[in-house]
Amino acid sequence: MADKGLFLINTGNGKGKSTAAFGLALRAAGQELRVAVIQFIKGKWQTGEIKAIEKHLTDSIDIFVTGTGFTWEQEIAAVKDAALAGWKLACDKITSDQYDLIVLDELTYLINMRFISEAEVLTVLTSRPNGQHVVITGRNASDGLIQAADLVTEMKEIKHPFHRGGSAVKGIEF
Amino acid sequence: MADKGLFLINTGNGKGKSTAAFGLALRAAGQELRVAVIQFIKGKWQTGEIKAIEKHLTDSIDIFVTGTGFTWEQEIAAVKDAALAGWKLACDKITSDQYDLIVLDELTYLINMRFISEAEVLTVLTSRPNGQHVVITGRNASDGLIQAADLVTEMKEIKHPFHRGGSAVKGIEF
């Protein structure tokens, strides 16, 4: 057990789940850990964190953006296929033993949508290489994930988000 | 009001308050915002996030570590003097209009220790340059701060931190 890396979860309905995971990726990179971030939700805009990593941190952090954007026009089968392809990639990165920290950003929605089972995720995490840390982010982390984690933080919205006529603030919200 | 930058608070007893603020600094840097991070608590170890920023992101993010480390041997007057010097530096950076995002990391403890007043902080924030975003992190954010903020997130510990014989995990905990 002493060789086992840590398993962290950032969940809850508030802001900061993914942002804290990116902060952790930055911290780990600074301590010479090899980091992979796998995103399971493709956003509408290219985020600042991805731009910054691609510009300054490619030596330390590998980013993989998977999945489809969510649109109502899209067939659920296509969304599921893209999600499963993302999960397969994540499994490859976990088992490859190339990384000291793996961030599975928004993975919870793959379980919550029943695209993959909690049991499958736990099996992959349990047999991951020694010393590898994993962070899962996303709303409604399932009970089995929480049971298995070393540290779980809930990001809770205390005050409602600002509303600025519907336009997101560049550099802060994306 | 439309020109006013956003004021965010990360508070609560859980992990991720500062880490999310660093993630936001990374995001903002990626979107070409000019970022300053002022830390009010000097940790025992040099953190990975500071190493990473000093190595890769000095073009975009300025870091200022202020305050003393907390030790029981230290005179409270010396701790207070160092904290006030940190706050003075923060005020200079805020009013200088050199930055689009300013992170005041662990500022709440200066108010909670009564080194500075909440009213003074609110006065400085209210008169800050247009378009400047501010993030304050730390436990027990006071009511007046929460009132004034656009977005408040509580990082809540759902599951107790891992214990690994007392040694912090490099790259994850610092």
Side-chain angles (χ1 to χ4, degrees):
Chain A
M1 272 306 289
D3 295 322
K4 207 74 191 162
L6 297 168
F7 170 25
L8 284 66
I9 296 177
N10 296 343
T11 191
N13 66 350
K15 299 272 182 186
K17 298 182 289 291
S18 298
T19 322
F22 274 93
L24 196 69
L26 183 70
R27 167 178 291 175
Q31 301 290 24
E32 315 284 332
L33 271 57
R34 302 159 302 165
V35 182
V37 179
I38 296 135
Q39 291 198 303
F40 292 97
I41 292 186
K42 189 184 282 178
K44 224 162 115 186
W45 302 281
Q46 203 194 8
T47 58
E49 53 272 35
I50 292 190
K51 286 187 192 176
I53 289 170
E54 287 180 349
K55 191 165 172 192
H56 302 289
L57 292 156
T58 46
D59 286 356
S60 320
I61 304 177
D62 291 336
I63 294 235
F64 307 94
V65 182
T66 72
T68 58
F70 262 107
T71 69
W72 294 110
E73 295 85 40
Q74 206 148 24
E75 297 287 336
I76 187 76
V79 174
K80 183 175 177 177
D81 284 351
L84 289 179
W87 173 239
K88 190 184 173 309
L89 182 141
C91 292
D92 289 348
K93 298 304 167 191
I94 291 168
T95 53
S96 76
D97 204 10
Q98 282 182 280
Y99 298 103
D100 304 304
L101 169 65
I102 298 199
V103 176
L104 303 172
D105 187 41
E106 306 282 5
L107 180 70
T108 59
Y109 105 90
L110 267 68
I111 298 172
N112 297 340
M113 295 282 284
R114 300 183 186 279
F115 292 160
I116 55 175
S117 71
E118 180 192 77
E120 185 178 348
V121 173
L122 290 176
T123 301
V124 171
L125 290 187
T126 304
S127 56
R128 73 187 187 275
N130 271 342
Q132 186 183 79
H133 308 293
V134 173
V135 183
I136 289 179
T137 80
R139 290 180 179 225
N140 300 313
S142 60
D143 291 344
L145 283 188
I146 288 174
Q147 283 288 326
D150 297 295
L151 176 77
V152 181
T153 307
E154 178 191 357
M155 275 64 174
K156 202 174 159 185
E157 190 179 279
I158 295 297
K159 195 163 176 178
H160 276 277
F162 33 81
H163 296 286
R164 316 203 115 208
S167 68
V169 180
K170 188 169 174 174
I172 302 296
E173 294 180 85
F174 69 96
Chain B
M1 271 307 289
D3 294 322
K4 207 74 192 160
L6 296 168
F7 171 25
L8 284 67
I9 296 176
N10 296 342
T11 191
N13 66 350
K15 300 271 184 186
K17 297 183 288 294
S18 297
T19 321
F22 274 94
L24 196 70
L26 182 70
R27 167 179 291 175
Q31 302 289 24
E32 315 283 334
L33 271 57
R34 301 158 303 165
V35 182
V37 179
I38 296 137
Q39 291 197 304
F40 293 97
I41 292 187
K42 190 183 280 177
K44 223 162 115 185
W45 302 282
Q46 203 194 10
T47 58
E49 53 272 34
I50 292 190
K51 286 188 190 174
I53 288 169
E54 286 180 350
K55 192 164 172 193
H56 302 290
L57 292 156
T58 46
D59 286 355
S60 320
I61 304 178
D62 290 337
I63 293 235
F64 307 94
V65 182
T66 72
T68 59
F70 261 107
T71 70
W72 294 109
E73 294 85 40
Q74 206 147 27
E75 297 287 335
I76 187 75
V79 173
K80 183 176 176 175
D81 283 351
L84 290 180
W87 173 239
K88 191 185 171 310
L89 182 141
C91 292
D92 289 347
K93 299 303 167 190
I94 291 168
T95 53
S96 76
D97 204 10
Q98 282 182 278
Y99 298 104
D100 304 303
L101 169 65
I102 297 199
V103 176
L104 303 172
D105 188 40
E106 306 280 6
L107 180 70
T108 59
Y109 106 90
L110 266 68
I111 298 172
N112 297 340
M113 295 283 284
R114 300 182 186 280
F115 292 160
I116 54 175
S117 71
E118 180 192 77
E120 185 178 346
V121 173
L122 290 176
T123 301
V124 171
L125 290 188
T126 304
S127 56
R128 74 187 188 273
N130 271 342
Q132 187 184 78
H133 309 294
V134 172
V135 183
I136 289 179
T137 79
R139 290 179 180 227
N140 301 312
S142 60
D143 292 343
L145 282 187
I146 288 175
Q147 283 288 327
D150 296 296
L151 177 77
V152 181
T153 306
E154 180 191 356
M155 275 64 175
K156 202 175 159 185
E157 190 179 279
I158 294 297
K159 194 164 176 176
H160 275 277
F162 33 80
H163 296 285
R164 315 201 116 209
S167 69
V169 180
K170 189 171 174 174
I172 302 296
E173 293 179 87
F174 68 97

